[in-house]
């Protein structure tokens, strides 16, 4: 009997690479190339190739777990586990009010699950206390994009445009390790005669591919962008006609940039004036150019302003909203884009509507069949929500996130989680956070369920169920349906993902992220549709037949944004004047070194899944501290020696990895591991005032030798 091949998408990063899944007779699943999907054209990284390993029964959870009287998690029937969750959430709400119950989601949830989780929090629990780990991903870029363009979508153009551009500045991204299949777009850029400029404190595998690598001091990307804009102005490279016809606010932004002259910026960043001038030349001379940012400039306490400064550079040179040009953000998590569009973020409703907008509340409330006044207002951002656990928030429902490893100041957050009266976790594995729960529910994975995700291009995709989940596993949608019923809401929480998507389409209609013209059928036929994609007026889906059998026009989706106008009331992009300021915690005599954090190619996010894959662990078995030979010599550390990295928040220990690919004043740690090598024990939760993004990328530390 021939096995069925199911075309689907990878469960990991925001590329959402296409792949084929084939069940084997021995119960395993084979992952194979799918060359027809344009994002990866068959290429898969090691994480994608081994993704099916986490489906194995010995790796994943297969039964609900309930903490017994002795404090041990033991297997339990589903009804017992669900009854206990519902009883505890209901009790906390009754005794302490709805905001005593929190909900924390994840950027790996499908659009259907993210939408339902937000609806569950606001309709069933009545709580304002919901946010998700995507707040730690690209919230600063989102905030800056909304300020400048009136709309946030990671990339306003498809990846296929990158090789056709004349120059790309890649700021704070090591995509050769974080999303390897995308590197070919940048290789093709150079093969076509274009230029790649990489900005990173480390000479990463991505930086090694660049025509020009700038290595600024961590936390100085804002000054760097302002210095480049100063030179654009001083050298007469401003596109005056574009600025006059398509933007507003230039004079204020111009004045702010002129206060950042090259020599001043060199002192702040460590990037030489000749390098600054060469960057401006390479960026301005071609007809088209792009700036792409990632977590480097975004995960700062001034991340919104930093991204805004790079957008200002694009606007002043006439790059945004023109073919093969513009500003874009490289989304990190698999559904980081869609995850925040449809309601699991503290201040948003489906369709990227604002929760404090009366018209938005009225529209979504009508779809949900509730009174708009019953919807709670905006709640705490992710870190602030986690920080309130055990005090204002007494119980937490958590899905698809592992903050014990991934949150800044992680030891403190672990302590807050332990102080909860009640914690329920839905996950596919027993993560470090799930291990602290009172109830753990095993849920279906990507290959066992159907649902949509939205990749970094704004391309809505359909992941298709390829295999049947093991007995004892339920989907997140089934969990929310059962909990809603137990808490008194019998209707409005379907378990069929397509039924949920149909409701999501109605809820998003007319919003910034309008999915109303997208259907499952279209996603299969077209291999993805770019939002916004409104429905044709007068039809429910954009596909219904007109009288006489004539098919109506169908909105094609929007691969390229802003070519005619920006999503602001007057159609003009907004310059936002910004000025350099220091990171929240500069080095001093006690903590003289800067720590920055990031990922390695063989692990993903908190490592909850990838650390369970033998092949990936062989490639990246544990944490390390990357430091420059001069710093290692001063410390007296040799390659492989255990080194303690100490911040004001805690201490982490990992083997030294000595390399001249990092600045002498900086150390790097990957953040995938728990235990004594947990990098986020050290990181600073100082928040950006607009995006509420913590400052993962820069904090002051000292190094100590450790007796081996």
């Amino acid at each position: 009997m021939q096995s069925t091949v199911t075309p689907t998408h990878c469960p990991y990063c925001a590329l959402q690479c296409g792949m084929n899944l084939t069940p084997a007779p021995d119960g395993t699943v084979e992952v194979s190339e799918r060359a027809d999907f344009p994002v990866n054209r068959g290429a898969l990284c090691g994480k994608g190739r081994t993704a099916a390993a986490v489906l194995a029964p010995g790796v994943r959870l297969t039964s609900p777990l309930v903490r017994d009287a002795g404090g041990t998690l033991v297997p339990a029937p589903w009804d017992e586990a669900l009854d206990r969750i519902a009883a505890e959430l209901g009790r906390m709400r009754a005794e302490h009010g709805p905001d005593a119950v929190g909900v924390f989601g994840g950027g790996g949830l499908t659009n259907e699950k993210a939408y339902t989780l937000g609806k569950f929090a606001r309709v069933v629990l009545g709580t304002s206390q919901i946010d998700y780990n995507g707040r730690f991903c690209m919230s600063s870029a989102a905030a800056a994009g909304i300020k400048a363009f009136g709309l946030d979508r990671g990339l306003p153009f498809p990846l296929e445009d990158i090789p056709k551009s004349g120059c790309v500045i890649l700021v704070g991204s090591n995509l050769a390790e974080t999303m390897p299949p995308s590197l070919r777009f940048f290789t093709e850029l150079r093969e076509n005669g274009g230029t790649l400029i990489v900005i990173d404190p480390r000479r990463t595998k991505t930086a090694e591919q660049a025509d020009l690598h700038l290595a600024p001091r961590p936390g100085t990307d804002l000054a760097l962008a302002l210095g480049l804009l100063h030179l654009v102005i001083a050298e007469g490279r401003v596109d005056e006609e574009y600025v006059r016809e398509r933007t507003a606010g230039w004079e204020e932004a111009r004045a702010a940039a002129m206060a950042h002259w090259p020599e001043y910026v060199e002192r702040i960043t460590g990037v030489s004036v000749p390098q600054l001038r060469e960057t401006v030349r390479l960026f301005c001379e071609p007809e088209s150019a792009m700036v792409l940012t990632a977590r480097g400039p975004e995960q700062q306490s001034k991340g919104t302003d930093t991204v805004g400064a790079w957008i200002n550079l694009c606007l002043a040179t006439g790059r945004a909203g023109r073919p093969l040009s513009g500003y874009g953000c490289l989304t990190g998590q698999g559904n980081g884009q869609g995850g925040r569009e449809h309601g699991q973020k503290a201040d948003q409703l489906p369709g990227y509507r604002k929760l404090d907008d009366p018209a938005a509340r009225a529209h979504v409330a009508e779809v949900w069949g509730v009174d708009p006044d019953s919807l709670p207002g905006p709640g705490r951002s992710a870190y602030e929500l986690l920080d309130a656990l055990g005090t204002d928030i007494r119980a937490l429902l958590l899905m698809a996130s592992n903050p014990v490893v991934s949150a800044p100041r992680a030891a403190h957050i672990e302590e807050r989680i332990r102080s909860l009266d009640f914690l329920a976790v839905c996950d596919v594995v027993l993560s470090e956070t799930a291990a602290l729960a009172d109830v753990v529910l095993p849920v279906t994975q990507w290959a066992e369920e159907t649902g949509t995700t939205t990749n970094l291009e704004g391309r809505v995709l359909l992941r298709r169920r390829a295999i049947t989940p093991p007995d004892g596993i339920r989907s997140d949608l089934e969990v929310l349906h059962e909990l809603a019923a137990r808490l008194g809401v019998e209707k409005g929480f379907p378990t069929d993902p397509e039924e949920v998507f149909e409701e999501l389409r109605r809820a998003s209609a007319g919003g910034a992220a309008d999915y109303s013209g997208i259907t499952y059928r279209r996603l299969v036929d077209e291999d993805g549709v770019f939002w916004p994609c409104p429905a044709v007026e007068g039809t429910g889906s954009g596909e219904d037949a007109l009288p006489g059998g004539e098919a109506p026009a169908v909105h094609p989706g929007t691969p390229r944004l802003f070519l005619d106008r920006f999503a602001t009331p007057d159609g003009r992009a907004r310059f936002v004047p910004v000025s350099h300021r220091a990171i929240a915690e500069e080095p001093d005599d006690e903590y003289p070194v800067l720590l920055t954090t990031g990922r390695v190619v063989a692990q993903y996010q908190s490592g909850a899944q990838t650390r369970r894959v033998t092949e990936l662990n062989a490639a990246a078995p544990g944490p390390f501290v990357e430091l420059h030979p001069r710093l290692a010599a001063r410390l007296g550390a040799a390659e492989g020696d255990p080194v303690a990295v100490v911040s004001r928040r805690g201490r982490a220990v990992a083997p030294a990895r000595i390399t001249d690919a990092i600045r002498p004043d900086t150390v790097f740690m990957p953040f995938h591991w728990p235990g004594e090598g947990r990098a986020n024990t050290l990181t600073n939760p100082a928040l950006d005032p607009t995006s509420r993004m913590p400052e993962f990328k820069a904090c002051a530390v000292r190094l100590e030798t450790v007796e081996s």
Side-chain angles (χ1 to χ4, degrees):
M1 179 176 174
Q2 188 173 6
S3 298
T4 301
V5 177
T6 302
T8 189
H9 297 274
C10 180
Y12 290 117
C13 82
L15 288 179
Q16 289 296 279
C17 291
M19 58 171 57
N20 289 318
L21 298 183
T22 307
D26 64 357
T28 61
V29 180
E30 178 186 343
V31 176
S32 59
E33 296 180 355
R34 181 182 160 199
D36 62 327
F37 187 60
V39 170
N40 63 308
R41 301 180 198 161
L44 294 170
C45 72
K47 296 186 289 291
R49 285 187 294 100
T50 60
V54 187
L55 298 167
V59 175
R60 53 97 56 78
L61 293 167
T62 55
S63 169
L65 303 174
V66 173
R67 198 167 297 278
D68 65 13
T72 302
L73 284 173
V74 297
W78 268 96
D79 280 344
E80 178 185 336
L82 290 166
D83 287 347
R84 183 165 174 185
I85 296 173
E88 291 294 332
L89 297 183
R91 182 174 69 84
M92 293 297 167
R93 186 179 59 177
E95 293 179 1
H96 304 287
D99 280 356
V101 179
V103 176
F104 199 84
L109 294 174
T110 63
N111 290 317
E112 292 81 357
K113 292 192 284 190
Y115 170 85
T116 304
L117 186 62
K119 181 180 179 182
F120 178 85
R122 296 178 174 107
V123 172
V124 177
L125 298 176
T127 182
S128 66
Q129 301 304 301
I130 174 172
D131 210 75
Y132 83 126
N133 62 15
R135 177 78 69 170
F136 300 157
C137 179
M138 55 177 289
S139 57
S140 293
I146 291 170
K147 283 185 177 184
F149 307 131
L151 182 69
D152 154 48
R153 195 182 83 184
L155 294 181
F157 40 72
L159 284 163
E160 66 186 35
D161 284 1
I162 290 173
K164 304 169 190 174
S165 189
C167 177
V168 174
I169 299 179
L170 193 59
V171 190
S173 172
N174 182 17
L175 52 81
E177 296 200 64
T178 58
M179 45 181 65
S182 70
L183 188 61
R184 67 173 178 81
F185 292 105
F186 299 88
T187 302
E188 291 173 12
L189 166 76
R190 299 183 68 208
E191 290 172 349
N192 292 340
T195 302
L196 176 62
I197 301 170
V198 172
I199 298 172
D200 197 300
R202 304 164 63 222
R203 191 174 70 249
T204 62
K205 291 181 180 179
T206 306
E208 290 173 354
Q209 306 299 314
D211 297 284
L212 178 63
H213 171 218
L214 310 182
R217 185 172 179 266
T220 64
D221 309 271
L222 174 53
L224 180 59
L226 286 162
L228 296 176
L229 181 53
H230 177 109
L231 285 171
V232 165
I233 297 165
E235 295 177 4
R237 297 181 184 271
V238 175
D239 188 332
E240 301 286 358
E241 181 181 0
Y242 173 94
V243 168
R244 183 171 57 253
E245 294 183 357
R246 298 204 62 188
T247 72
W250 168 233
E251 289 306 319
E252 294 84 354
R254 181 185 185 281
M258 292 310 290
H260 298 77
W261 60 94
E263 292 77 13
Y264 172 56
V265 169
E266 181 182 71
R267 289 199 302 273
I268 294 170
T269 65
V271 177
S272 70
V273 172
Q275 284 185 310
L276 295 173
R277 293 189 183 279
E278 179 66 358
T279 301
V280 168
R281 184 187 70 80
L282 293 172
F283 184 68
C284 291
E285 286 187 353
E287 184 177 345
S288 58
M290 300 174 176
V291 172
L292 305 178
T293 67
R295 306 301 79 76
E298 298 163 16
Q299 287 181 327
Q300 299 183 27
S301 59
K302 51 187 175 179
T304 301
D305 284 357
T306 301
V307 174
W310 289 103
I311 292 174
N312 286 349
L313 179 67
C314 290
L315 293 176
T317 53
R319 303 306 196 181
R322 282 182 168 170
L324 310 180
S325 292
Y327 164 78
C329 167
L330 298 170
T331 310
Q333 294 190 80
N335 197 32
Q337 181 70 50
R340 71 180 178 281
E341 292 169 2
H342 299 302
Q344 64 173 335
K345 191 162 171 278
D347 58 350
Q348 286 177 192
L349 288 169
Y352 224 139
R353 288 181 159 89
K354 300 297 290 182
L355 189 53
D356 57 4
D357 177 1
R361 294 170 65 88
H363 173 86
V364 173
E366 182 178 6
V367 174
W368 288 351
V370 300
D371 184 339
D373 292 338
S374 71
L375 298 177
R380 292 176 172 90
S381 70
Y383 181 80
E384 292 164 305
L385 189 157
L386 295 171
D387 189 40
L389 299 181
T391 54
D392 294 343
I393 300 173
R394 311 292 291 270
L396 182 70
L397 173 64
L398 184 145
M399 286 185 168
S401 187
N402 189 18
V404 165
V405 178
S406 63
R409 196 185 174 197
H412 170 73
I413 295 305
E414 179 177 346
E415 179 184 310
R416 300 317 315 146
I417 289 172
R418 290 180 181 275
S419 72
L420 282 164
D421 292 347
F422 182 77
L423 172 64
V425 173
C426 300
D427 211 331
V428 299
V429 296
L430 191 66
S431 71
E432 287 71 24
T433 305
L436 304 180
D438 298 284
V439 179
V440 183
L441 299 181
V443 290
T444 50
Q445 298 187 55
W446 57 289
E448 301 163 346
E449 60 186 13
T450 294
T452 61
T453 61
T454 306
N455 81 345
L456 77 171
E457 308 164 295
R459 188 194 304 252
V460 185
L461 303 164
L462 185 66
R463 281 192 199 155
R464 282 171 270 196
R465 174 170 164 155
I467 59 172
T468 301
D471 291 340
I473 307 296
R474 299 187 186 181
S475 73
D476 293 290
L477 294 180
E478 290 174 310
V479 168
L480 293 172
H481 171 87
E482 292 289 343
L483 291 177
R486 284 167 168 79
L487 289 166
V489 181
E490 301 265 347
K491 297 181 179 180
F493 290 86
T495 60
D496 174 45
E498 187 168 10
E499 187 177 346
V500 175
F501 190 78
E502 289 299 305
E503 182 178 302
L504 182 157
R505 291 174 57 217
R506 296 195 304 276
S508 74
D514 191 335
Y515 284 30
S516 60
I518 304 175
T519 63
Y520 273 27
R521 192 173 84 191
R522 284 193 66 181
L523 296 178
V524 171
D525 292 345
E526 301 173 35
D527 221 350
V529 177
F530 292 84
W531 72 261
C533 182
V536 174
E537 187 175 351
T539 73
S541 66
E543 300 184 43
D544 301 332
L546 294 172
E550 180 185 352
V554 174
H555 192 287
T558 314
R560 296 169 181 85
L561 296 170
F562 313 138
L563 295 180
D564 299 318
R565 67 190 314 274
F566 295 97
T568 57
D570 60 5
R572 291 173 173 265
R574 303 285 191 268
F575 282 97
V576 178
V578 294
S579 296
H580 169 71
R581 61 182 184 273
I583 59 174
E585 186 180 73
E586 288 282 0
D588 56 22
D589 291 342
E590 187 177 3
Y591 300 95
V593 178
L594 279 169
L595 168 71
T596 192
T597 64
R599 284 166 49 184
V600 296
V601 66
Q603 301 288 352
Y604 180 72
Q605 304 300 74
S606 75
Q609 295 181 54
T610 52
R611 284 187 276 111
R612 287 167 166 80
V613 179
T614 301
E615 180 180 329
L616 299 179
N617 278 336
F624 56 86
V625 181
E626 186 177 279
L627 66 163
H628 192 275
R630 295 209 298 268
L631 186 55
R634 290 202 301 271
L635 184 66
E639 180 76 15
D641 285 353
V643 171
V645 184
V646 184
S647 78
R648 289 178 173 85
R649 288 153 296 281
R651 184 175 189 265
V653 178
R657 183 174 294 183
I658 301 172
T659 172
D660 63 1
I662 192 168
R663 292 173 55 96
D665 58 1
T666 301
V667 296
F668 167 83
M669 289 189 71
F671 53 64
H672 309 291
W673 288 274
E676 71 170 5
R678 181 174 59 185
N680 278 318
T681 296
L682 309 167
T683 48
N684 191 352
L687 301 180
D688 179 288
T690 302
S691 68
R692 315 309 287 169
M693 168 75 85
E695 192 154 63
F696 287 99
K697 287 302 180 189
C699 71
V701 298
R702 68 170 180 264
L703 305 184
E704 299 172 349
T705 55
V706 177
E707 293 292 333
S708 55

